[in-house]
Amino acid sequence: MPDPTPDQTPEPGPARSGTADEAGRQRLRAALLQPSRGQVVVGVLLAALGFAAITQVRTNTTDNNFAGARESDLVDVLSGLAVTSQRAQNDISRLEGTRRQLEQNKRDQTAALQAAQQQAEELSILAGLVPATGPGIRVTVTEGPRPVDVDSVLDTIEELRSAGAEAMQVNGQVRLVAQSAVESAPGGLRIDGTLLTSPYVLDVIGEPHTLQGALSLVDGPIAQFKDAGATVEVDQEKALDITAVRKPTTSQFAQPQ
């Protein structure tokens, strides 16, 4: 009896294996080309983890630069840092001292400039070079039968100066200063070359009560004017404007030391 004929049907194993490999490649390709949300998240986390690992390695490398250094080398490094720090602190202190000195010099210069300006203004007023305003008195002398005596006028000016008069003018025309000259003239008085006539109005800036008291002394200027037949009126003023000024002059002989 003949042997049975072997089954010649091909094994399905290899065909199934090739199909599975092809399917796996397709899934891999799909995952790479169109990754899911979970795959993207995992990828980002892995990238962050790798970056952190690299940073830590670099940090450890930097921190360990002195790990193998000798103790003497470390002492030298620390000493150098201390010296540099002290030098920097000294420079800061020096610069701060310089700044304070400059600020003090600036304040001193400002104060000196203000004092000089104030002194210049005061001297300009005393020299009659600028107008002035302030409280004071107005003295009006009206001649009587006799002309006003020059000596009485000079006494009046001196008494007012002694009482603290800071600025004076006569008839709004002549500014009285230390060099002012008063002389008799036909029809009136000539003061610093200007002819003035009665009534003589003397505006004086200073402390009103003190100025009036200086003129009211026994045998003082007011008494002298009245003895000559003139009438005298003295009014205290809260504000007087002295507008007459003198032209600056240059000394011919006197020079500052």
Side-chain angles (χ1 to χ4, degrees), residues 17-212:
S17 177
T19 303
D21 291 341
E22 182 63 25
R25 284 194 293 271
Q26 291 178 355
R27 286 195 299 272
L28 178 60
R29 186 181 299 109
L32 293 175
L33 297 178
Q34 296 180 349
S36 65
R37 180 178 300 177
Q39 291 172 335
V40 172
V41 172
V42 171
V44 172
L45 292 176
L46 290 175
L49 181 60
F51 177 77
I54 294 173
T55 303
Q56 183 63 36
V57 170
R58 290 182 178 178
T59 303
N60 292 338
T61 301
T62 303
D63 293 341
N64 292 331
N65 284 339
F66 297 103
R70 294 177 300 175
E71 182 178 353
S72 59
D73 294 336
L74 294 177
V75 171
D76 291 340
V77 171
L78 291 177
S79 298
L81 292 175
V83 171
T84 302
S85 177
Q86 184 61 43
R87 185 181 298 113
Q89 186 61 42
N90 292 338
D91 290 341
I92 293 174
S93 299
R94 178 177 56 80
L95 291 175
E96 288 180 347
T98 302
R99 177 180 59 82
R100 289 192 295 268
Q101 184 64 37
L102 291 174
E103 291 177 349
Q104 182 62 43
N105 291 340
K106 183 178 180 180
R107 288 193 293 268
D108 293 343
Q109 292 175 357
T110 301
L113 180 59
Q114 291 176 348
Q117 290 176 340
Q118 181 177 359
Q119 185 177 13
E121 291 175 356
E122 293 174 354
L123 292 176
S124 295
I125 292 175
L126 293 176
L129 301 179
V130 294
T133 185
I137 61 173
R138 172 167 290 169
V139 183
T140 303
V141 179
T142 304
E143 286 183 348
R146 292 181 294 170
V148 170
D149 185 61
V150 173
D151 291 337
S152 298
V153 175
L154 292 175
D155 287 344
T156 300
I157 295 174
E158 291 302 322
E159 289 292 345
L160 291 172
R161 284 175 179 164
S162 299
E166 298 177 355
M168 293 183 284
Q169 72 177 7
V170 183
N171 287 14
Q173 298 177 260
V174 180
R175 184 73 167 266
L176 295 178
V177 295
Q179 297 82 10
S180 292
V182 182
E183 57 185 347
S184 298
L189 297 174
R190 191 176 300 277
I191 302 178
D192 293 339
T194 300
L195 179 63
L196 303 177
T197 59
S198 177
Y200 304 105
V201 179
L202 182 62
D203 292 328
V204 188
I205 291 179
E207 205 287 313
H209 182 73
T210 302
L211 294 176
Q212 185 171 1

